[in-house]
CSV table of all heavy atoms in Angstrom, one decimal:
chain,number,residue,atom,x,y,z
A,186,ARG,N,-17.4,141.1,76.1
A,186,ARG,CA,-17.6,141.0,77.5
A,186,ARG,C,-18.5,142.0,77.9
A,186,ARG,O,-18.3,143.2,77.6
A,186,ARG,CB,-16.2,141.0,78.3
A,186,ARG,CG,-15.2,140.0,77.8
A,186,ARG,CD,-14.0,140.0,78.8
A,186,ARG,NE,-13.0,139.1,78.5
A,186,ARG,CZ,-13.1,137.8,78.9
A,186,ARG,NH1,-14.0,137.4,79.8
A,186,ARG,NH2,-12.3,136.8,78.5
A,187,GLY,N,-19.5,141.6,78.9
A,187,GLY,CA,-20.4,142.6,79.3
A,187,GLY,C,-21.6,142.9,78.4
A,187,GLY,O,-22.3,143.9,78.7
A,188,SER,N,-21.6,142.3,77.1
A,188,SER,CA,-22.6,142.7,76.2
A,188,SER,C,-23.7,141.6,76.1
A,188,SER,O,-23.3,140.3,76.2
A,188,SER,CB,-21.9,142.9,74.8
A,188,SER,OG,-21.0,143.9,74.8
A,189,ASN,N,-24.8,141.9,75.7
A,189,ASN,CA,-25.8,140.9,75.2
A,189,ASN,C,-25.5,140.6,73.7
A,189,ASN,O,-25.1,141.5,72.9
A,189,ASN,CB,-27.2,141.5,75.1
A,189,ASN,CG,-27.7,141.8,76.6
A,189,ASN,OD1,-27.4,141.1,77.6
A,189,ASN,ND2,-28.4,143.0,76.8
A,190,LEU,N,-25.5,139.5,73.4
A,190,LEU,CA,-25.0,138.9,72.1
A,190,LEU,C,-26.3,138.1,71.4
A,190,LEU,O,-26.9,137.5,72.2
A,190,LEU,CB,-23.9,138.0,72.1
A,190,LEU,CG,-22.6,138.5,73.0
A,190,LEU,CD1,-21.6,137.5,73.2
A,190,LEU,CD2,-22.1,139.7,72.1
A,191,GLY,N,-26.3,138.3,70.2
A,191,GLY,CA,-27.4,137.6,69.4
A,191,GLY,C,-27.1,137.4,68.0
A,191,GLY,O,-26.2,138.0,67.4
A,192,TRP,N,-27.7,136.4,67.5
A,192,TRP,CA,-27.8,136.0,66.1
A,192,TRP,C,-29.2,136.2,65.5
A,192,TRP,O,-30.1,135.7,66.1
A,192,TRP,CB,-27.3,134.6,65.8
A,192,TRP,CG,-25.8,134.5,66.0
A,192,TRP,CD1,-25.2,133.9,67.1
A,192,TRP,CD2,-24.7,134.6,64.9
A,192,TRP,NE1,-23.8,133.9,66.9
A,192,TRP,CE2,-23.6,134.3,65.6
A,192,TRP,CE3,-24.8,135.0,63.7
A,192,TRP,CZ2,-22.4,134.4,64.9
A,192,TRP,CZ3,-23.6,135.2,63.0
A,192,TRP,CH2,-22.5,134.9,63.5
A,193,PHE,N,-29.2,137.0,64.6
A,193,PHE,CA,-30.5,137.3,63.9
A,193,PHE,C,-30.5,136.7,62.4
A,193,PHE,O,-29.3,136.4,61.9
A,193,PHE,CB,-30.9,138.7,63.6
A,193,PHE,CG,-31.3,139.4,64.9
A,193,PHE,CD1,-30.4,139.6,65.9
A,193,PHE,CD2,-32.6,139.9,65.0
A,193,PHE,CE1,-30.7,140.3,67.1
A,193,PHE,CE2,-33.0,140.6,66.2
A,193,PHE,CZ,-32.1,140.8,67.2
A,194,ARG,N,-31.6,136.4,61.8
A,194,ARG,CA,-31.6,136.0,60.5
A,194,ARG,C,-32.8,136.6,59.7
A,194,ARG,O,-33.8,136.9,60.3
A,194,ARG,CB,-31.6,134.5,60.3
A,194,ARG,CG,-33.1,133.8,60.5
A,194,ARG,CD,-32.8,132.2,60.5
A,194,ARG,NE,-34.2,131.7,60.9
A,194,ARG,CZ,-34.4,130.4,61.1
A,194,ARG,NH1,-33.2,129.6,61.0
A,194,ARG,NH2,-35.5,129.9,61.6
A,195,GLN,N,-32.5,136.7,58.4
A,195,GLN,CA,-33.6,137.2,57.6
A,195,GLN,C,-33.7,136.3,56.3
A,195,GLN,O,-32.8,136.3,55.6
A,195,GLN,CB,-33.3,138.7,57.1
A,195,GLN,CG,-34.3,139.4,56.3
A,195,GLN,CD,-34.2,140.8,56.2
A,195,GLN,OE1,-33.1,141.4,56.5
A,195,GLN,NE2,-35.3,141.5,55.9
A,196,GLY,N,-34.8,135.5,56.3
A,196,GLY,CA,-35.0,134.7,55.2
A,196,GLY,C,-35.5,135.4,54.0
A,196,GLY,O,-36.0,136.6,54.1
A,197,PRO,N,-35.7,134.8,52.9
A,197,PRO,CA,-36.1,135.5,51.6
A,197,PRO,C,-37.7,135.9,51.8
A,197,PRO,O,-38.5,135.1,52.2
A,197,PRO,CB,-36.1,134.4,50.6
A,197,PRO,CG,-35.1,133.4,51.0
A,197,PRO,CD,-35.2,133.5,52.5
A,198,GLY,N,-38.0,137.3,51.7
A,198,GLY,CA,-39.3,137.7,51.8
A,198,GLY,C,-39.8,137.8,53.3
A,198,GLY,O,-40.9,138.0,53.4
A,199,LYS,N,-38.8,137.6,54.2
A,199,LYS,CA,-39.2,137.5,55.5
A,199,LYS,C,-38.6,138.8,56.3
A,199,LYS,O,-37.6,139.4,55.9
A,199,LYS,CB,-38.8,136.2,56.2
A,199,LYS,CG,-39.6,135.0,55.7
A,199,LYS,CD,-39.1,133.8,56.4
A,199,LYS,CE,-39.6,132.6,55.7
A,199,LYS,NZ,-39.4,131.4,56.4
A,200,GLN,N,-39.2,138.9,57.5
A,200,GLN,CA,-38.5,140.0,58.4
A,200,GLN,C,-37.4,139.5,59.2
A,200,GLN,O,-37.3,138.2,59.4
A,200,GLN,CB,-39.6,140.6,59.4
A,200,GLN,CG,-40.7,141.4,58.7
A,200,GLN,CD,-41.5,142.1,59.7
A,200,GLN,OE1,-41.6,141.6,61.0
A,200,GLN,NE2,-42.1,143.2,59.3
A,201,ARG,N,-36.5,140.2,59.6
A,201,ARG,CA,-35.4,139.8,60.5
A,201,ARG,C,-35.8,139.3,61.8
A,201,ARG,O,-36.7,140.0,62.3
A,201,ARG,CB,-34.3,141.0,60.6
A,201,ARG,CG,-33.0,140.5,61.2
A,201,ARG,CD,-32.1,141.7,61.3
A,201,ARG,NE,-31.8,142.2,59.9
A,201,ARG,CZ,-30.7,143.0,59.7
A,201,ARG,NH1,-30.0,143.5,60.6
A,201,ARG,NH2,-30.4,143.5,58.5
A,202,GLU,N,-35.4,138.1,62.2
A,202,GLU,CA,-35.8,137.6,63.5
A,202,GLU,C,-34.6,137.2,64.4
A,202,GLU,O,-33.6,136.8,63.7
A,202,GLU,CB,-36.7,136.5,63.3
A,202,GLU,CG,-36.1,135.3,62.6
A,202,GLU,CD,-36.9,134.0,62.6
A,202,GLU,OE1,-37.9,133.9,63.4
A,202,GLU,OE2,-36.6,133.0,61.9
A,203,LEU,N,-34.8,137.3,65.6
A,203,LEU,CA,-33.8,136.8,66.5
A,203,LEU,C,-33.9,135.3,66.7
A,203,LEU,O,-34.9,134.8,67.0
A,203,LEU,CB,-34.0,137.5,67.9
A,203,LEU,CG,-33.1,137.1,69.0
A,203,LEU,CD1,-31.6,137.5,68.8
A,203,LEU,CD2,-33.5,137.6,70.4
A,204,VAL,N,-32.8,134.7,66.5
A,204,VAL,CA,-32.8,133.2,66.5
A,204,VAL,C,-32.1,132.7,67.8
A,204,VAL,O,-32.5,131.6,68.2
A,204,VAL,CB,-32.2,132.4,65.3
A,204,VAL,CG1,-33.1,132.7,64.0
A,204,VAL,CG2,-30.8,132.9,65.1
A,205,ALA,N,-31.2,133.4,68.3
A,205,ALA,CA,-30.4,133.0,69.4
A,205,ALA,C,-29.8,134.1,70.1
A,205,ALA,O,-29.3,135.0,69.4
A,205,ALA,CB,-29.3,131.9,69.1
A,206,SER,N,-29.8,134.1,71.4
A,206,SER,CA,-29.2,135.2,72.2
A,206,SER,C,-28.4,134.6,73.5
A,206,SER,O,-28.8,133.6,74.0
A,206,SER,CB,-30.2,136.2,72.6
A,206,SER,OG,-31.2,135.6,73.5
A,207,ASN,N,-27.5,135.4,73.8
A,207,ASN,CA,-26.7,135.1,75.0
A,207,ASN,C,-26.6,136.4,75.8
A,207,ASN,O,-25.9,137.3,75.4
A,207,ASN,CB,-25.2,134.7,74.6
A,207,ASN,CG,-24.3,134.1,75.8
A,207,ASN,OD1,-24.5,134.7,76.8
A,207,ASN,ND2,-23.6,133.1,75.6
A,208,MET,N,-27.3,136.4,77.0
A,208,MET,CA,-27.4,137.6,77.6
A,208,MET,C,-26.3,137.8,78.6
A,208,MET,O,-25.5,136.8,78.9
A,208,MET,CB,-28.7,137.6,78.5
A,208,MET,CG,-30.0,137.3,77.6
A,208,MET,SD,-30.2,138.5,76.2
A,208,MET,CE,-30.7,139.9,77.1
A,209,ARG,N,-26.0,139.0,79.1
A,209,ARG,CA,-24.9,139.4,79.9
A,209,ARG,C,-24.8,138.4,81.1
A,209,ARG,O,-23.7,138.2,81.5
A,209,ARG,CB,-25.0,140.8,80.5
A,209,ARG,CG,-25.0,141.8,79.4
A,209,ARG,CD,-24.9,143.2,80.1
A,209,ARG,NE,-24.9,144.3,79.0
A,209,ARG,CZ,-26.0,144.9,78.7
A,209,ARG,NH1,-27.2,144.7,79.2
A,209,ARG,NH2,-25.9,145.8,77.7
A,210,GLY,N,-25.9,138.0,81.7
A,210,GLY,CA,-25.7,137.1,82.8
A,210,GLY,C,-25.5,135.7,82.4
A,210,GLY,O,-25.4,134.7,83.3
A,211,GLY,N,-25.4,135.4,81.2
A,211,GLY,CA,-25.1,134.0,80.8
A,211,GLY,C,-26.3,133.2,80.3
A,211,GLY,O,-26.2,132.0,79.8
A,212,ARG,N,-27.4,133.7,80.4
A,212,ARG,CA,-28.7,133.0,80.0
A,212,ARG,C,-28.8,133.0,78.3
A,212,ARG,O,-28.5,134.0,77.8
A,212,ARG,CB,-29.8,133.7,80.6
A,212,ARG,CG,-31.2,132.9,80.3
A,212,ARG,CD,-32.3,133.6,80.8
A,212,ARG,NE,-32.7,134.8,80.2
A,212,ARG,CZ,-32.7,136.0,80.7
A,212,ARG,NH1,-32.1,136.2,81.9
A,212,ARG,NH2,-33.2,137.1,80.0
A,213,THR,N,-29.1,131.8,77.9
A,213,THR,CA,-29.2,131.8,76.5
A,213,THR,C,-30.8,131.5,76.1
A,213,THR,O,-31.4,130.9,77.0
A,213,THR,CB,-28.5,130.6,75.9
A,213,THR,OG1,-28.6,129.4,76.5
A,213,THR,CG2,-26.8,130.9,76.0
A,214,ASN,N,-31.2,132.1,74.9
A,214,ASN,CA,-32.6,131.8,74.6
A,214,ASN,C,-32.5,131.6,73.1
A,214,ASN,O,-31.7,132.1,72.3
A,214,ASN,CB,-33.4,133.1,74.7
A,214,ASN,CG,-33.6,133.3,76.2
A,214,ASN,OD1,-34.2,132.6,76.9
A,214,ASN,ND2,-32.8,134.4,76.7
A,215,TYR,N,-33.5,130.8,72.6
A,215,TYR,CA,-33.6,130.4,71.2
A,215,TYR,C,-35.1,130.5,70.8
A,215,TYR,O,-36.0,130.3,71.4
A,215,TYR,CB,-33.1,128.9,70.9
A,215,TYR,CG,-31.8,128.8,71.3
A,215,TYR,CD1,-31.4,128.3,72.7
A,215,TYR,CD2,-30.7,128.8,70.5
A,215,TYR,CE1,-30.1,128.0,73.1
A,215,TYR,CE2,-29.4,128.7,70.9
A,215,TYR,CZ,-29.1,128.2,72.2
A,215,TYR,OH,-27.8,128.1,72.6
A,216,VAL,N,-35.3,130.8,69.5
A,216,VAL,CA,-36.6,130.8,69.0
A,216,VAL,C,-37.0,129.5,68.7
A,216,VAL,O,-36.2,128.5,68.6
A,216,VAL,CB,-36.5,131.5,67.6
A,216,VAL,CG1,-35.8,130.8,66.4
A,216,VAL,CG2,-38.0,131.9,67.0
A,217,ASP,N,-38.3,129.2,68.9
A,217,ASP,CA,-38.7,127.7,69.0
A,217,ASP,C,-38.2,126.8,67.8
A,217,ASP,O,-37.9,125.6,67.9
A,217,ASP,CB,-40.2,127.8,68.9
A,217,ASP,CG,-40.9,128.1,70.3
A,217,ASP,OD1,-40.0,128.1,71.3
A,217,ASP,OD2,-42.1,128.4,70.5
A,218,SER,N,-38.2,127.5,66.7
A,218,SER,CA,-37.8,126.8,65.4
A,218,SER,C,-36.5,126.3,65.3
A,218,SER,O,-36.2,125.3,64.4
A,218,SER,CB,-38.2,127.6,64.0
A,218,SER,OG,-37.3,128.9,64.1
A,219,VAL,N,-35.6,126.8,66.2
A,219,VAL,CA,-34.2,126.3,66.2
A,219,VAL,C,-33.8,125.6,67.6
A,219,VAL,O,-32.7,125.1,67.6
A,219,VAL,CB,-33.3,127.4,65.9
A,219,VAL,CG1,-33.6,128.1,64.6
A,219,VAL,CG2,-33.0,128.4,67.0
A,220,GLN,N,-34.7,125.6,68.5
A,220,GLN,CA,-34.4,125.1,69.8
A,220,GLN,C,-34.0,123.6,69.6
A,220,GLN,O,-34.6,122.8,68.9
A,220,GLN,CB,-35.7,125.1,70.8
A,220,GLN,CG,-35.5,124.6,72.0
A,220,GLN,CD,-34.8,125.6,73.0
A,220,GLN,OE1,-34.9,126.8,72.9
A,220,GLN,NE2,-33.7,125.0,73.7
A,221,GLY,N,-32.9,123.3,70.2
A,221,GLY,CA,-32.4,121.9,70.1
A,221,GLY,C,-31.6,121.6,68.9
A,221,GLY,O,-30.9,120.6,68.8
A,222,ARG,N,-31.5,122.7,68.0
A,222,ARG,CA,-30.6,122.4,66.7
A,222,ARG,C,-29.5,123.4,66.7
A,222,ARG,O,-28.4,123.2,66.2
A,222,ARG,CB,-31.5,122.5,65.6
A,222,ARG,CG,-32.7,121.5,65.4
A,222,ARG,CD,-33.2,121.6,64.1
A,222,ARG,NE,-33.9,122.8,63.7
A,222,ARG,CZ,-33.5,123.7,62.8
A,222,ARG,NH1,-32.5,123.3,62.0
A,222,ARG,NH2,-34.2,124.9,62.6
A,223,PHE,N,-29.6,124.6,67.2
A,223,PHE,CA,-28.7,125.6,67.3
A,223,PHE,C,-28.1,125.8,68.6
A,223,PHE,O,-28.9,125.7,69.7
A,223,PHE,CB,-29.3,127.0,66.8
A,223,PHE,CG,-29.7,127.0,65.3
A,223,PHE,CD1,-29.7,125.8,64.5
A,223,PHE,CD2,-30.0,128.2,64.7
A,223,PHE,CE1,-30.0,125.9,63.2
A,223,PHE,CE2,-30.3,128.3,63.3
A,223,PHE,CZ,-30.4,127.1,62.6
A,224,THR,N,-26.9,126.3,68.7
A,224,THR,CA,-26.3,126.6,70.0
A,224,THR,C,-25.4,127.8,69.8
A,224,THR,O,-24.5,127.9,69.0
A,224,THR,CB,-25.3,125.4,70.5
A,224,THR,OG1,-26.1,124.2,70.6
A,224,THR,CG2,-24.8,125.8,71.8
């Protein structure tokens, strides 16, 4: 409660990237590659 929340992933040989986030105000964001597939 009151925190920004996120899921990151790190693929083989890749840098860690943010794939999905849920901000304190309730707004959610997704990286383009998972948009429409991840929730």
Side-chain angles (χ1 to χ4, degrees):
R186 293 188 186 276
S188 296
N189 294 323
L190 306 171
W192 285 96
F193 285 71
R194 72 181 174 195
Q195 186 164 14
K199 298 180 180 179
Q200 291 188 335
R201 191 175 298 190
E202 64 171 344
L203 176 64
V204 297
S206 61
N207 185 324
M208 307 305 287
R209 292 189 187 98
R212 186 178 75 249
T213 57
N214 294 288
Y215 301 92
V216 69
D217 287 346
S218 61
V219 308
Q220 183 74 44
R222 299 190 297 119
F223 289 13
T224 303

